[in-house]
Short mmCIF file of all heavy atoms in Angstrom, two decimals:
data_model
loop_
_atom_site.label_atom_id
_atom_site.label_comp_id
_atom_site.label_asym_id
_atom_site.label_seq_id
_atom_site.Cartn_x
_atom_site.Cartn_y
_atom_site.Cartn_z
N GLY A 1 13.74 -65.18 -63.86
CA GLY A 1 13.56 -65.89 -62.59
C GLY A 1 14.71 -65.68 -61.65
O GLY A 1 14.54 -65.50 -60.44
N GLY A 2 15.94 -65.66 -62.21
CA GLY A 2 17.11 -65.53 -61.36
C GLY A 2 17.28 -64.16 -60.75
O GLY A 2 17.86 -64.02 -59.69
N CYS A 3 16.75 -63.13 -61.41
CA CYS A 3 16.98 -61.78 -60.92
C CYS A 3 16.38 -61.57 -59.54
O CYS A 3 16.83 -60.70 -58.79
CB CYS A 3 16.38 -60.76 -61.89
SG CYS A 3 17.33 -60.61 -63.42
N ASN A 4 15.35 -62.32 -59.20
CA ASN A 4 14.68 -62.12 -57.91
C ASN A 4 15.05 -63.16 -56.88
O ASN A 4 14.48 -63.20 -55.80
CB ASN A 4 13.16 -62.15 -58.12
CG ASN A 4 12.70 -61.00 -58.98
OD1 ASN A 4 13.17 -59.89 -58.83
ND2 ASN A 4 11.79 -61.28 -59.90
N ARG A 5 16.03 -64.02 -57.21
CA ARG A 5 16.31 -65.13 -56.30
C ARG A 5 17.02 -64.69 -55.04
O ARG A 5 16.86 -65.30 -53.99
CB ARG A 5 17.17 -66.17 -57.03
CG ARG A 5 16.93 -67.57 -56.53
CD ARG A 5 18.01 -68.51 -56.98
NE ARG A 5 19.22 -68.30 -56.22
CZ ARG A 5 20.31 -69.01 -56.34
NH1 ARG A 5 20.34 -69.97 -57.22
NH2 ARG A 5 21.38 -68.79 -55.62
N LEU A 6 17.84 -63.66 -55.13
CA LEU A 6 18.64 -63.25 -54.00
C LEU A 6 18.12 -61.96 -53.39
O LEU A 6 17.64 -61.09 -54.08
CB LEU A 6 20.10 -63.03 -54.43
CG LEU A 6 20.77 -64.26 -55.02
CD1 LEU A 6 22.14 -63.89 -55.54
CD2 LEU A 6 20.88 -65.35 -54.00
N ASN A 7 18.20 -61.88 -52.11
CA ASN A 7 17.79 -60.68 -51.41
C ASN A 7 18.97 -60.17 -50.59
O ASN A 7 19.22 -60.61 -49.48
CB ASN A 7 16.59 -60.96 -50.49
CG ASN A 7 16.11 -59.71 -49.80
OD1 ASN A 7 16.60 -58.62 -50.07
ND2 ASN A 7 15.16 -59.87 -48.91
N LEU A 8 19.71 -59.23 -51.16
CA LEU A 8 20.90 -58.72 -50.49
C LEU A 8 20.55 -57.94 -49.23
O LEU A 8 21.39 -57.76 -48.35
CB LEU A 8 21.69 -57.81 -51.44
CG LEU A 8 22.15 -58.46 -52.73
CD1 LEU A 8 22.92 -57.45 -53.57
CD2 LEU A 8 23.02 -59.66 -52.44
N ARG A 9 19.34 -57.49 -49.14
CA ARG A 9 18.98 -56.64 -48.01
C ARG A 9 18.86 -57.41 -46.70
O ARG A 9 18.73 -56.83 -45.64
CB ARG A 9 17.69 -55.89 -48.33
CG ARG A 9 17.82 -55.04 -49.59
CD ARG A 9 16.58 -54.24 -49.92
NE ARG A 9 16.78 -53.52 -51.16
CZ ARG A 9 16.36 -53.95 -52.34
NH1 ARG A 9 15.70 -55.08 -52.44
NH2 ARG A 9 16.59 -53.26 -53.44
N ASP A 10 18.91 -58.73 -46.78
CA ASP A 10 18.89 -59.53 -45.55
C ASP A 10 20.09 -59.22 -44.66
O ASP A 10 20.04 -59.41 -43.46
CB ASP A 10 18.92 -61.04 -45.88
CG ASP A 10 17.60 -61.50 -46.48
OD1 ASP A 10 16.64 -60.71 -46.47
OD2 ASP A 10 17.55 -62.65 -46.94
N HIS A 11 21.20 -58.76 -45.27
CA HIS A 11 22.41 -58.53 -44.51
C HIS A 11 22.77 -57.05 -44.42
O HIS A 11 23.87 -56.71 -44.03
CB HIS A 11 23.59 -59.29 -45.14
CG HIS A 11 23.48 -60.77 -44.94
ND1 HIS A 11 23.65 -61.38 -43.72
CD2 HIS A 11 23.20 -61.76 -45.82
CE1 HIS A 11 23.50 -62.68 -43.86
NE2 HIS A 11 23.23 -62.94 -45.12
N ALA A 12 21.87 -56.17 -44.77
CA ALA A 12 22.17 -54.74 -44.74
C ALA A 12 21.19 -54.02 -43.82
O ALA A 12 20.03 -54.39 -43.71
CB ALA A 12 22.08 -54.17 -46.14
N GLU A 13 21.68 -53.00 -43.16
CA GLU A 13 20.84 -52.23 -42.26
C GLU A 13 20.01 -51.21 -43.01
O GLU A 13 19.12 -50.57 -42.45
CB GLU A 13 21.72 -51.53 -41.22
CG GLU A 13 22.53 -52.51 -40.37
CD GLU A 13 23.56 -51.79 -39.51
OE1 GLU A 13 23.64 -50.56 -39.61
OE2 GLU A 13 24.25 -52.48 -38.74
N GLU A 14 20.31 -51.01 -44.28
CA GLU A 14 19.63 -50.01 -45.07
C GLU A 14 19.53 -50.52 -46.49
O GLU A 14 20.08 -51.56 -46.83
CB GLU A 14 20.44 -48.71 -45.06
CG GLU A 14 21.84 -48.94 -45.60
CD GLU A 14 22.72 -47.72 -45.46
OE1 GLU A 14 22.49 -46.92 -44.55
OE2 GLU A 14 23.63 -47.57 -46.28
N LEU A 15 18.83 -49.81 -47.34
CA LEU A 15 18.75 -50.15 -48.75
C LEU A 15 20.08 -49.83 -49.41
O LEU A 15 20.45 -48.67 -49.53
CB LEU A 15 17.62 -49.35 -49.42
CG LEU A 15 17.42 -49.62 -50.91
CD1 LEU A 15 16.96 -51.05 -51.13
CD2 LEU A 15 16.41 -48.64 -51.49
N PRO A 16 20.88 -50.83 -49.78
CA PRO A 16 22.21 -50.55 -50.33
C PRO A 16 22.13 -50.01 -51.75
O PRO A 16 21.20 -50.32 -52.49
CB PRO A 16 22.91 -51.90 -50.29
CG PRO A 16 21.79 -52.89 -50.41
CD PRO A 16 20.61 -52.27 -49.70
N LEU A 17 23.09 -49.22 -52.14
CA LEU A 17 23.22 -48.78 -53.51
C LEU A 17 23.96 -49.89 -54.25
O LEU A 17 25.17 -49.99 -54.19
CB LEU A 17 23.98 -47.45 -53.56
CG LEU A 17 23.35 -46.32 -52.73
CD1 LEU A 17 24.24 -45.08 -52.78
CD2 LEU A 17 21.96 -45.99 -53.23
N GLU A 18 23.22 -50.75 -54.94
CA GLU A 18 23.76 -52.03 -55.38
C GLU A 18 24.97 -51.93 -56.33
O GLU A 18 25.88 -52.74 -56.22
CB GLU A 18 22.65 -52.90 -55.95
CG GLU A 18 21.68 -53.33 -54.87
CD GLU A 18 20.74 -54.43 -55.31
OE1 GLU A 18 20.91 -54.94 -56.44
OE2 GLU A 18 19.85 -54.77 -54.54
N PRO A 19 25.04 -50.98 -57.27
CA PRO A 19 26.27 -50.91 -58.07
C PRO A 19 27.50 -50.66 -57.21
O PRO A 19 28.56 -51.24 -57.45
CB PRO A 19 26.00 -49.75 -59.03
CG PRO A 19 24.51 -49.66 -59.11
CD PRO A 19 24.02 -50.02 -57.74
N TYR A 20 27.36 -49.80 -56.20
CA TYR A 20 28.48 -49.55 -55.30
C TYR A 20 28.73 -50.77 -54.41
O TYR A 20 29.88 -51.07 -54.08
CB TYR A 20 28.20 -48.32 -54.44
CG TYR A 20 28.05 -47.05 -55.23
CD1 TYR A 20 26.83 -46.44 -55.38
CD2 TYR A 20 29.16 -46.47 -55.83
CE1 TYR A 20 26.70 -45.26 -56.12
CE2 TYR A 20 29.05 -45.29 -56.57
CZ TYR A 20 27.81 -44.70 -56.71
OH TYR A 20 27.69 -43.55 -57.44
N LEU A 21 27.67 -51.46 -54.04
CA LEU A 21 27.81 -52.65 -53.23
C LEU A 21 28.59 -53.72 -53.98
O LEU A 21 29.50 -54.35 -53.44
CB LEU A 21 26.42 -53.19 -52.85
CG LEU A 21 26.38 -54.35 -51.87
CD1 LEU A 21 26.79 -53.92 -50.48
CD2 LEU A 21 24.97 -54.96 -51.84
N ALA A 22 28.26 -53.91 -55.25
CA ALA A 22 28.95 -54.92 -56.06
C ALA A 22 30.40 -54.54 -56.31
O ALA A 22 31.28 -55.40 -56.37
CB ALA A 22 28.22 -55.12 -57.38
N GLU A 23 30.69 -53.25 -56.46
CA GLU A 23 32.07 -52.82 -56.66
C GLU A 23 32.90 -53.08 -55.40
O GLU A 23 34.04 -53.55 -55.47
CB GLU A 23 32.13 -51.34 -57.02
CG GLU A 23 33.53 -50.81 -57.28
CD GLU A 23 34.25 -51.50 -58.45
OE1 GLU A 23 33.60 -52.17 -59.27
OE2 GLU A 23 35.48 -51.36 -58.51
N LEU A 24 32.32 -52.83 -54.23
CA LEU A 24 32.98 -53.21 -52.98
C LEU A 24 33.20 -54.71 -52.96
O LEU A 24 34.29 -55.20 -52.60
CB LEU A 24 32.13 -52.77 -51.79
CG LEU A 24 32.55 -53.32 -50.42
CD1 LEU A 24 33.96 -52.87 -50.05
CD2 LEU A 24 31.54 -52.88 -49.35
#
């Protein structure tokens, strides 16, 4: 259930590469 709770793309202009996003 938790895996789908957040939508990071609300704040990105493109589909982010999430492992790199999390490292940033």
Side-chain angles (χ1 to χ4, degrees):
C3 288
N4 295 319
R5 210 195 75 177
L6 300 174
N7 182 6
L8 301 180
R9 302 182 183 97
D10 288 351
H11 289 290
E13 299 171 359
E14 59 186 27
L15 180 65
L17 302 176
E18 292 192 6
Y20 297 109
L21 186 70
E23 181 61 16
L24 169 61

